[in-house]
Structure formats: structure tokens, C-alpha cells
Amino acid sequence: MKIFNVKKEIIENKKVSADCYKMTFESKEIACRVKPGQFLHIKCSDTYDPLLRRPISIHSIKNNVIGILYKVVGRGTGLLSKKTSGDPIDVIGPLGNGFDYQLLANCQLPILVGGGIGIAPLYFLAQRLTEQCSNITVLIGASNKCNILCIDEFKKLDCKVKVSTDDGSDGINGTVVDLLKKELVPENSKLKTQNLKLKIFTCGPVPMLRQVHQLVSKYNVSSQVSLERQMACGIGACMGCTIKTQNHPESLRDKTQNYKQVCKDGPVFDIKEIVWEDI
Amino acid sequence: MKHISLDINIAGIKMKNPVIAASGTFGYGLEYSQLIDINFFGAIVTKTITLEPRIGNPQPRIVEVASGMLNSIGLQNPGAKVFIEEKLPKLKGYGVPIIANISGSKEAEFVKLADLLKDMGLSGLELNISCPNVEHAGLFAQDADTTYKLVRKVRKVTSLPLIVKLTPNVTDITLIARASEDAGADAISLINTLIGMSIDIQTKMPKLANVIGGLSGPAVKPVALRMVYEVSKKVRIPVIGMGGIMTSEDSIEFLLAGASAVAIGTANFVNPNTCCEIIEGIKTYMKANSFNKISDITGKLK
Ligand SMILES: Cc1cc2nc3c(=O)[nH]c(=O)nc-3n(C[C@H](O)[C@H](O)[C@H](O)COP(=O)(O)OP(=O)(O)OC[C@H]3O[C@@H](n4cnc5c(N)ncnc54)[C@H](O)[C@@H]3O)c2cc1C
Ligand SMILES: Cc1cc2nc3c(=O)[nH]c(=O)nc-3n(C[C@H](O)[C@H](O)[C@H](O)COP(=O)(O)O)c2cc1C
Ligand code: FES
């Protein structure tokens, strides 16, 4: 797969919530090859502070315009948020494997489950899923009403959007896992009679993903998860981002087979593949 | 105007320029080939290979610190067999000298590995002796005697150009360098990472699961430069300098201090095009200073 290091001009970098920003720039090279779930490795500074790039998912693609949605959590994302339109941006991408979002025709319903900033890659996924199906459910979890992201964007794509907040200021009072529970439990029988299967795509903080894993294991629903790790190279060269995966058939001979690289083999994994106790 | 040449010959390894990809930062070369033309490098040193596969250290393995990074990868690698059967054939397809970096926890492992790799079409071997020696306390490279014995044994089984890579975590690096030369090494490379640590004051836990890790990047450059300077005065064999090189200016400092070539590690992560930019920068510098070949710069510190 071809990967590009491009230097582009920022079209727009605007604040979308208390601590989240959306940035856009044009890159034909990346836009015409990228898949939902893939990410960019972004240089946040021209100095050695911070030194390393920061991995950020692709949030949207419109024509050749790439959008990222990011939360300011430290120095790198802080510097990114200070950039304005016309400033240069240096990105490497597309990186990683991306979601396997091919649906079985007429018998698979996608549910997108995003916690906090974890919603970022799911919007691009929804953009692509609309090409295949019209009944996408999106479950958005946030700490409170002010931090809910992308609700209007998903609605514009005709997705069925449900919201949860930790303080009950919008949607249900609870977590996005509670929302998912509701999707799985009552409709399970209905889905069965209609011969429909769910396909879940999720991203968010690890404690949430762990609960999603428990839930979908119980109901045996096919699920893909996008994970994060501290990264240096982002391209599979440094072994910095490994994650433990379930026993590989070859692992008796070679234990390294049980470790995958989040940057190259991921960031998207089948939820069953991950050894959740190890994260 | 005279022709400017960047060609060098280090210990019999012919390179079209003195810029090498440092071990562990360039995988087996193939990963970066999707992004850049890896043929621009003078040579590529592979990630450390051990006889048996290694799973490495627990996560987190990487943390950023001021002007650098700490890593505790722990030599994760698929082992000699996979390297020979799967990685090397693809790597050899490129027109760039490949140097295999090898390590082990016992002398015998180094020797066996060097023996296995002797007729594989490699351009050279680099011994990573900055690793714990299970038969004695400490790292191989922390003791001149141990280093001498190890290099001597490896020397006997291979006629490939032999580079010994030194750790800066010693009291006097020149002693280890001398021991390597005396034992038959063809070149010395330095420095490997400097041991360091970092703490999260909120959780009160070390930021690396392994507690300590190796520091690399611009933060280590002054230390690396000093060591290259000291070592190159004490040995006759060529020195490959590395540690925090980000630009052509950094590279030229190492050459002036006595290095015959330089290696680029952490900078590859930040700017995958570093190698090309350094080559261009060195050329410009040579023109401006009327240097015709790299050896004109080496050790020209006034
Ligand atoms: C594949 C991938 C995709 C990502 N996509 C997005 C995205 O679309 N939007 C977004 O806002 N963030 C995303 N992240 C997380 C983002 O990379 C980190 O928030 C960012 O690197 C923090 O950099 P900083 O310099 O601002 O913070 P730092 O000062 O480096 O760290 C501040 C805090 O953030 C944590 N942190 C740092 N790096 C990471 C990381 N890679 N993963 C998790 N926590 C980290 C640190 O442990 C620390 O607690 C993604 C991460 C990965 C691996
Ligand atoms: C992530 C990472 C992994 C490394 N792995 C190895 C290794 O496997 N073997 C080795 O000899 N050196 C290894 N090194 C050390 C580098 O080759 C180099 O000596 C050191 O990083 C200093 O150079 P730099 O500052 O340019 O990175 C590693 C360095 C980093 C940053
Ligand atoms: S970040 Fe380097 S291998 Fe994944």
C-alpha cells in the first residue's frame, strides 16, 4: 500500500466543543485511497517539542478534503488547535488497516458506538456505509450535553442517532454501553425472525470498550473496535505499539505471533481478537 | 569545479553516501518502503535479530520526553528463521547494503547467529552488545574483557564486515571500543540509547511498564558527539556516529568529531525524508567548504 507524506495548507480549524476541534485540508493523494478507520500521523510542531508525530483518525472525506476531529489533551493537540487557515500542516497517511465495513447484502445492520472523542473515525465510516445501506444506528456517549459531538452531521446522513450523557443533561442518563444494551436485548428476537444480523463498529476509552466487548460476547455479535496506543513511527517499524491478541495457531513455535502492531495490523481489530485483560 | 563524491567504504562495505538507517528504527526496511525510496540510504541496519523469537517488554513501551523519547521495546523480533526466510529475501531486492544487527543473551547465541548469517548475501553484521548477559551480571558492552571475548569468537566464524555497537551507559567507552578493535572488529558504531526514566506524578507510576528505557533523539546528541569524538581518537577503525541526528548540520558535527558515517534513528519517525535532506545538506556544505569527499570532513575538528 502506498503511504504519503504531504505538506498542505489548512483550510479551516474550528472549535466544535469545549475542548474539541475540527480541521480540514485538501489532499488528493490521501483522500482517494483512504478507508474509514485509517489514520494520519501529524506533525504538531516545527520544533522538537513535541518531537514525535501524533496519530489522529480520519474523521471525514468530502471530495478531496480531509477532516480530522481531535480533542486537546496535551502539548501536541494543543499546538494543533492554535493553527489557523492557511497554516501548513505535515501529515503522513493513510495509515493502518481500517474497518472491514462490507455488509452482507440486506441482512446486516450496522451500529456505530462512539464514546467521547471515539466518535471521530465513525463519522467517516457512516459516510461510506450510506453507500450500502440506509438504516445506520449511531450511539453517541458523552460526559454532558456540551460535549456531544457530530450529532447533526450523523442526522444529515439519515442515521438513527441515540445519545447518552453521564450526567443526564441530554439523551439517556448513563453510558453508551447502556444504549448498546438496549439495542441488543429487546430487538434480538425481532432481528432473528427477520434474519438480520448486527455489525458493530466501536471506538472510545478503554473501560468503555471493555464493557462493549463483554456485552457483544454475550450476544455473539460481530464487532470491530478501533484502538489507541502510544506511537512513534506509525508505520510498523519500531514495535512501539504492540498489543496482545488471542492465541495464534503458530504461537507455540513463535510467541511473537500473539502480538500485533496497532499502527499496522490495526488500529481496527475484531473485538474478539484482543486480550482485554492485557490492555 | 571538482567532482564531489559522497561514496564511502566502511570496513569493506561500499556505500553511495554516509547516511545509514539505525537499528530498531527502520524495521526490516520494508515498512518504510511504502513511503520513501529506501535506496537513498547509504546502508540499512535491521532491527536487532536474536536466534529465537522474542516478545519484548510490556506496554507502554514508548514515552516522549523533552526533545527525545524513551523506549523499552525489549528487542521484540521474529527470530533468525523468519528473518532469513521472510524478511531478508525481500530486503535484498533493494539496491542498498543490508547490515544485520544481531544480539543474544549468551556468547554462544551471538556466535551461532553470526554463523547462520554468514552466506546470506548480507553486507555486514552489527553486534548489539548493549544487552544483558545472562551468564554474567551487566550488559556485554559494559565490560572490556567480555566484549573482547565475544567479538573475538564472532570474528572467527564470519568474514563479513563486523561492526560493534556500543552503549553509552559505561564509565569509559573508549576502553570498550579498544577491546572491540583488538578483537578484530572492522568498525564501531555508537551510541545506543542512554538509560533513563519518566514518572507520571498523578498515578505515581513510571510511564514505561519496564520502568526504565533507552533515551534517543536530539536530547542525547551532545553526549553522543562527545563519545564519538573520544572513541575516534582512540581507535584506527572507522566510527559510525549516531544519537540525536535530525539534520545535515548535526551529521556534519559528527563527521567533524571523527565519524566516518552517521546513522539516523528517531529522526525517521519525525521526518521520513530526513536521510535525503541530510544528503543534500552535506553536499551543499562540501561545496561551500571545498571538500571533495566525506573523508575530507572526518575528524577535521580544529
Ligand atoms: C490510531 C489512533 C487514532 C487516534 N485518533 C484520534 C482522533 O481522531 N482524535 C483525537 O482527538 N485523538 C485521537 N487519538 C489520540 C491522540 O493521538 C492523542 O490524544 C494525542 O497523541 C495526544 O497528544 P498530545 O501531545 O496532545 O498529548 P500528550 O501530552 O502526549 O499526552 C496527554 C495525555 O494523552 C495521552 N495520550 C497521548 N498519546 C496518546 C495516544 N496515542 N493514545 C491515547 N492516549 C494518548 C497521554 O497518556 C496523556 O495522558 C488517536 C490515537 C491513535 C493511536
Ligand atoms: C524505538 C527504538 C528501537 C531501537 N531498537 C534498537 C535495536 O533493536 N537494536 C539496536 O542496536 N539499537 C536500537 N535502537 C537504538 C538506535 O539504533 C540508536 O542507536 C539510538 O536510537 C540513537 O540514535 P537516534 O537518537 O538517532 O535515535 C533503537 C532506538 C529506538 C528509538
Ligand atoms: S508505532 Fe512503530 S510499530 Fe507501531
Side-chain angles (χ1 to χ4, degrees):
Chain A
M1 198 184 62
K2 190 98 183 91
I3 299 169
F4 299 85
N5 181 5
V6 297
K7 289 157 189 116
K8 301 286 175 181
E9 259 181 30
I10 293 169
I11 299 173
E12 190 179 44
N13 188 27
K14 70 164 191 257
K15 196 168 181 168
V16 293
S17 75
D19 51 8
C20 290
Y21 289 75
K22 194 174 163 181
M23 182 189 286
T24 49
F25 57 90
E26 193 169 336
S27 165
K28 189 175 173 193
E29 306 89 327
I30 295 175
C32 68
R33 292 175 173 84
V34 67
K35 245 173 94 177
Q38 287 191 303
F39 68 96
L40 302 171
H41 218 18
I42 304 184
K43 204 153 177 270
C44 302
S45 157
D46 293 330
T47 70
Y48 299 156
D49 173 28
L51 181 66
L52 299 173
R53 290 172 180 263
R54 297 293 187 259
I56 303 283
S57 300
I58 309 236
H59 170 63
S60 63
I61 298 282
K62 197 170 177 189
N63 303 321
N64 288 326
V65 176
I66 296 175
I68 57 168
L69 178 67
Y70 61 96
K71 181 173 166 176
V72 174
V73 297
R75 180 100 181 122
T77 46
L79 285 170
L80 265 193
S81 73
K82 302 267 163 31
K83 294 187 191 279
T84 56
S85 85
D87 283 351
I89 181 100
D90 176 337
V91 309
I92 296 178
L95 297 167
N97 61 350
F99 291 105
D100 168 15
Y101 61 98
Q102 214 56 48
L103 300 171
L104 301 172
N106 298 326
C107 65
Q108 249 181 341
L109 285 179
I111 302 186
L112 281 46
V113 188
I117 188 67
I119 201 72
L122 301 180
Y123 177 70
F124 178 28
L125 175 66
Q127 285 185 312
R128 288 290 156 91
L129 279 171
T130 52
E131 292 162 12
Q132 293 179 60
C133 89
S134 55
N135 39 12
I136 304 166
T137 303
V138 182
L139 311 179
I140 304 178
S143 51
N144 59 53
K145 193 178 167 133
C146 305
N147 289 330
I148 301 168
L149 297 164
C150 310
I151 218 170
D152 296 332
E153 287 88 337
F154 280 112
K155 282 186 177 156
K156 269 189 214 142
L157 292 179
D158 281 331
C159 299
K160 197 164 82 183
V161 183
K162 296 179 186 176
V163 172
S164 73
T165 51
D166 298 341
D167 64 356
S169 51
D170 198 357
I172 69 152
N173 185 345
T175 70
V176 74
V177 181
D178 298 325
L179 283 178
L180 179 62
K181 223 176 268 171
K182 288 195 183 145
E183 294 299 311
L184 297 183
V185 182
E187 287 190 37
N188 227 359
S189 52
K190 203 160 74 187
L191 290 168
K192 260 188 198 139
T193 54
Q194 293 173 8
N195 223 357
L196 285 174
K197 280 201 156 40
L198 297 176
K199 188 157 178 167
I200 291 171
F201 304 89
T202 185
C203 183
V206 168
M208 165 204 144
L209 297 177
R210 213 176 251 135
Q211 289 178 31
V212 170
H213 170 242
Q214 281 166 1
L215 200 60
V216 300
S217 309
K218 190 164 145 197
Y219 294 101
N220 197 18
V221 187
S222 145
S223 308
Q224 289 169 45
V225 57
S226 178
L227 291 172
E228 291 186 2
R229 268 277 191 264
Q230 223 56 266
M231 290 180 181
C233 72
I235 203 167
C238 76
M239 296 289 159
C241 65
T242 52
I243 194 160
K244 193 164 184 200
T245 46
Q246 301 295 347
N247 266 342
H248 188 276
E250 289 284 297
S251 66
L252 271 182
R253 184 180 63 83
D254 175 5
K255 279 208 275 307
T256 62
Q257 300 282 348
N258 288 344
Y259 292 81
K260 294 214 162 148
Q261 286 155 282
V262 172
C263 72
K264 194 179 91 189
D265 306 315
V268 178
F269 294 92
D270 186 318
I271 210 162
K272 292 197 299 263
E273 210 185 337
I274 302 300
V275 179
W276 287 95
E277 305 78 54
D278 204 68
I279 294 188
Chain B
M1 205 185 75
K2 270 203 205 151
H3 176 66
I4 288 183
S5 161
L6 268 70
D7 295 5
I8 56 163
N9 183 326
I10 294 237
I13 309 172
K14 289 200 185 75
M15 307 183 198
K16 58 189 169 300
N17 66 64
V19 186
I20 302 170
S23 178
T25 62
F26 216 68
Y28 300 97
L30 308 164
E31 297 78 6
Y32 271 101
S33 67
Q34 305 168 90
L35 175 58
I36 55 167
D37 184 353
I38 64 173
N39 283 320
F40 279 118
F41 280 94
I44 291 172
V45 183
T46 68
K47 167 85 193 153
T48 292
I49 304 143
T50 51
L51 207 50
E52 297 300 326
R54 289 208 188 175
I55 59 172
N57 285 323
Q59 286 284 354
R61 292 176 170 187
I62 291 177
V63 56
E64 183 162 343
V65 293
S67 291
M69 62 178 281
L70 289 167
N71 87 79
S72 60
I73 309 294
L75 300 188
Q76 173 172 352
N77 80 93
K81 189 165 183 283
V82 172
F83 173 71
I84 291 169
E85 289 172 7
E86 292 168 29
K87 310 282 183 191
L88 195 54
K90 288 184 204 147
L91 254 181
K92 281 198 297 199
Y94 290 88
V96 56
I98 305 298
I99 299 168
N101 177 300
I102 64 169
S103 194
S105 42
K106 294 178 190 158
E107 215 178 65
E109 282 174 36
F110 278 92
V111 174
K112 196 160 172 201
L113 199 46
D115 195 36
L116 267 179
L117 292 171
K118 69 182 173 198
D119 300 317
M120 296 285 165
L122 287 162
S123 297
L125 279 188
E126 182 176 72
L127 303 188
N128 174 7
I129 57 172
S130 319
C131 48
N133 175 351
V134 293
E135 290 162 323
H136 297 274
L139 313 182
F140 284 95
Q142 283 173 336
D143 181 72
D145 261 357
T146 316
T147 302
Y148 178 86
K149 283 185 196 135
L150 175 69
V151 176
R152 185 125 199 105
K153 289 209 169 130
V154 175
R155 176 74 289 171
K156 282 198 179 126
V157 297
T158 184
S159 54
L160 282 177
L162 189 59
I163 304 165
V164 178
K165 182 165 179 181
L166 306 183
T167 172
N169 307 302
V170 291
T171 43
D172 184 353
I173 196 165
T174 65
L175 297 179
I176 317 291
R178 286 284 292 277
S180 309
E181 179 176 39
D182 292 345
D186 298 306
I188 301 283
S189 63
L190 73 157
I191 58 175
N192 210 318
T193 53
L194 268 162
I195 296 173
M197 73 183 281
S198 178
I199 296 171
D200 181 332
I201 62 164
Q202 301 311 329
T203 61
K204 301 166 190 75
M205 303 235 295
K207 287 193 183 168
L208 292 173
N210 191 51
V211 185
I212 60 167
L215 180 63
S216 65
V220 307
K221 197 189 100 186
V223 178
L225 196 59
R226 185 264 296 174
M227 290 186 157
V228 165
Y229 171 69
E230 288 178 348
V231 166
S232 63
K233 282 199 300 190
K234 291 280 171 63
V235 298
R236 285 171 304 270
I237 51 179
V239 169
I240 301 167
M242 74 191 85
I245 296 176
M246 304 295 288
T247 62
S248 58
E249 288 86 350
D250 294 338
S251 308
I252 294 161
E253 281 191 69
F254 276 85
L255 296 174
L256 288 170
S260 299
V262 293
I264 315 298
T266 305
N268 293 313
F269 306 152
V270 180
N271 172 12
N273 218 26
T274 302
C275 164
C276 291
E277 290 172 11
I278 288 179
I279 292 167
E280 283 313 307
I282 293 179
K283 267 190 213 157
T284 309
Y285 177 82
M286 289 171 76
K287 270 183 211 150
N289 290 275
S290 310
F291 290 133
N292 299 319
K293 47 188 195 307
I294 295 296
S295 58
D296 291 347
I297 318 177
T298 296
K300 289 293 147 49
L301 184 71
K302 286 187 181 162

